[in-house]
């Protein structure tokens, strides 16, 4: 099983193929995901310290390009954990002032 290191939290083993946003949420990473995991809001942004995926969904690429953010961060709702990764959550729910992080994303990457 891949190891996911979450900056400020620690390292956990994650079942291969799990959406990164869910792995973070389920293991203390505290990500926002206001659009429910559809690559629309960019609140689930992460910085890859190590192990950034080479692949990028069309939805993620289009959203990041449209906002001038391509290459600045990745969207955890559009990545799956299929190898060891080390990430930093850039917009933690605890720092948002919101009542909830957003509806729980589906198990599989969408759209």
């Amino acid at each position: 099983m891949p190891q996911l290191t979450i900056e400020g939290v620690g390292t956990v083993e994650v079942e291969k193929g799990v959406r990164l946003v869910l792995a973070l949420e389920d293991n203390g990473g505290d990500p926002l995901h206001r659009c429910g995991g559809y690559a629309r809001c960019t609140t689930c942004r992460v910085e890859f310290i190590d192990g950034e995926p080479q692949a990028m969904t069309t939805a993620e690429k289009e959203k990041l390009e449209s906002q001038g953010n391509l290459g600045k961060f990745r969207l955890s709702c559009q990545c799956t954990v299929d190898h060891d990764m080390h990430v930093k959550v850039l917009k933690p729910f605890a720092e948002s002032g919101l009542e909830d992080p957003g509806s729980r994303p589906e198990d599989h990457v969408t759209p």
Side-chain angles (χ1 to χ4, degrees):
M1 287 205 300
Q3 290 194 337
L4 174 62
T5 301
I6 306 166
E7 195 71 12
V9 175
T11 301
V12 295
E13 285 192 345
V14 177
E15 187 175 326
K16 188 175 183 176
V18 170
R19 285 179 90 166
L20 179 56
V21 68
L22 296 177
L24 291 168
E25 186 170 72
D26 293 345
N27 292 286
D30 198 31
L32 277 174
H33 43 77
R34 301 302 295 167
C35 73
Y38 293 99
R40 288 186 280 213
C41 69
T42 74
T43 59
C44 68
R45 61 184 71 173
V46 294
E47 172 189 348
F48 277 90
I49 296 165
D50 193 33
E52 181 172 351
Q54 296 296 313
M56 182 179 288
T57 65
T58 300
E60 180 182 20
K61 185 175 187 219
E62 288 175 356
K63 176 52 84 174
L64 294 177
E65 282 181 333
S66 75
Q67 296 181 340
N69 289 320
L70 188 63
K72 294 180 182 178
F73 55 81
R74 296 290 300 268
L75 302 181
S76 65
C77 73
Q78 297 296 298
C79 301
T80 57
V81 181
D82 58 5
H83 61 277
D84 292 351
M85 299 176 167
H86 183 172
V87 299
K88 178 179 181 181
V89 174
L90 297 178
K91 291 191 137 204
F93 165 61
E95 296 175 10
S96 71
L98 299 169
E99 291 184 21
D100 64 68
S103 60
R104 185 169 173 88
E106 298 174 20
D107 289 340
H108 301 286
V109 173
T110 52

